[in-house]
Amino acid sequence: MCEANVYWLNDDGSEELLLEDVDKVKPTENGIVLESIFSERKVVKASIKEMALVSHKILLERLAD
Amino acid sequence: MCEANVYWLNDDGSEELLLEDVDKVKPTENGIVLESIFSERKVVKASIKEMALVSHKILLERLAD
């Protein structure tokens, strides 16, 4: 399976796990919708910083409301 | 390997292959930088419409310059 783990990139450069085993990533007006292979869903105000699919890693940056 | 294929979503709803076997996806000021596992690189003026990682598929929409 080729799901990815999604992390927040914090201001200090550290990374913080947000959601594991993400299949779907969909930017919407309300934020980025993340959906895991276990149908766990989160909607976050964020922008995509970088995705490294072979490493199963997606980095997000927080957006102000 | 968990690379994905990147497609344009055309106005008529059809999909058009843009780059295969993409590992890295990085939004930048100049556009979205795509890099394949074969180090082929493309930079496109686009927004991410949807990513389905388990299906190895990323859909992009064209942005006007």
Side-chain angles (χ1 to χ4, degrees):
Chain A
M1 295 281 277
C2 284
E3 64 280 3
N5 296 322
V6 178
Y7 299 84
W8 286 119
L9 178 61
N10 293 321
D11 289 339
D12 64 1
S14 64
E15 298 170 2
E16 182 185 338
L17 185 63
L18 169 60
L19 188 60
E20 287 182 301
D21 300 316
V22 171
D23 173 21
K24 302 266 175 60
V25 179
K26 187 168 184 174
T28 71
E29 285 180 8
N30 299 318
I32 298 179
V33 178
L34 306 171
E35 194 177 308
S36 80
I37 56 171
F38 305 110
S39 295
E40 191 179 355
R41 175 186 275 249
K42 289 190 179 182
V43 184
V44 292
K45 299 281 187 189
S47 64
I48 294 169
K49 176 72 174 174
E50 186 167 4
M51 299 190 285
L53 301 178
V54 174
S55 308
H56 301 258
K57 188 170 184 176
I58 296 175
L59 277 178
L60 300 184
E61 283 183 320
R62 288 177 183 82
L63 286 183
D65 277 326
Chain B
M1 296 280 277
C2 284
E3 64 280 2
N5 297 322
V6 178
Y7 299 83
W8 286 120
L9 178 61
N10 292 322
D11 289 340
D12 64 2
S14 63
E15 298 171 2
E16 181 185 338
L17 185 63
L18 170 60
L19 188 59
E20 286 182 302
D21 300 315
V22 170
D23 174 20
K24 302 266 176 61
V25 179
K26 188 168 183 174
T28 73
E29 285 180 8
N30 299 318
I32 297 179
V33 178
L34 305 171
E35 194 177 307
S36 81
I37 56 171
F38 305 110
S39 294
E40 190 179 356
R41 176 186 274 250
K42 288 190 179 181
V43 184
V44 292
K45 299 282 187 188
S47 63
I48 294 168
K49 175 72 175 175
E50 186 166 6
M51 299 190 286
L53 300 178
V54 173
S55 309
H56 301 258
K57 187 169 183 176
I58 296 174
L59 278 179
L60 300 183
E61 283 183 319
R62 288 178 182 84
L63 287 182
D65 276 328

